[in-house]
Amino acid sequence: RVGIGTTSPSATFSVENTLTYGTGQLEMNVGSDGSNDAANMVLDGHVTSGTNTVSEILVKNKGDSITRILTGRDSSDTAGFLTFSTQPSGGGITERMRITSAGNVGIGTSSPEGNLHISSGTSGDATVIIEADTDNNAEGDTPKLWFKADGG
């Protein structure tokens, strides 16, 4: 185990900040101004069977999981999905949005049946709000939902 800021790392690689102002930051700084160098992070899992998590970014507050970005693979090594999860007040972490390996986006559903599928789940209304001109200054701003077919 390797620890930065700790003599008792809690994971294989642990960066901990015990400074009194309570801010922790992991920074990757590559190159210099004008060098055109990209900073990349690669999470390389080795999942070999079934639908499984390949990588995740899990955010916790005092040990309680509050948000998560997860990547996984479908039943094939070459097909992947991406999920976004949050924790409701008093509940556990819950998937809110998924992008499937086919590119379909589901909000409130883990099995989107079209390009965009919004579901309220087993109960409640599914509401889509398109809002323009929140300052009410009568500029004539109009919210729009535009349906196009055949490129026109």
Side-chain angles (χ1 to χ4, degrees):
R1 292 182 184 235
V2 175
I4 297 175
T6 180
T7 57
S8 302
S10 58
T12 303
F13 178 67
S14 182
V15 178
E16 298 183 23
N17 184 352
T18 56
L19 300 175
T20 55
Y21 57 85
T23 301
Q25 179 175 322
L26 176 61
E27 181 176 314
M28 181 170 46
N29 196 343
V30 178
S32 59
D33 288 345
S35 66
N36 201 29
D37 293 327
N40 299 298
M41 182 185 326
V42 176
L43 304 174
D44 186 6
H46 294 273
V47 177
T48 59
S49 63
T51 302
N52 290 298
T53 299
V54 174
S55 63
E56 79 178 314
I57 298 172
L58 181 63
V59 178
K60 294 183 174 187
N61 183 43
K62 299 178 185 174
D64 185 26
S65 299
I66 57 173
T67 59
R68 175 175 61 200
I69 299 172
L70 180 141
T71 60
R73 51 177 237 117
D74 292 328
S75 56
S76 152
D77 279 338
T78 60
F81 61 88
L82 175 66
T83 68
F84 299 86
S85 302
T86 63
Q87 178 186 25
S89 180
I93 198 157
T94 304
E95 182 179 315
R96 304 297 184 179
M97 184 172 82
R98 175 179 293 244
I99 303 172
T100 68
S101 60
N104 292 343
V105 176
I107 299 174
T109 178
S110 61
S111 302
E113 296 175 15
N115 299 97
L116 176 61
H117 182 162
I118 300 172
S119 174
S120 64
T122 58
S123 65
D125 297 332
T127 303
V128 176
I129 298 173
I130 302 173
E131 182 176 30
D133 193 14
T134 60
D135 62 5
N136 294 321
N137 282 337
E139 295 100 353
D141 300 329
T142 305
K144 297 178 182 179
L145 183 58
W146 191 355
F147 296 90
K148 293 174 67 174
D150 297 327

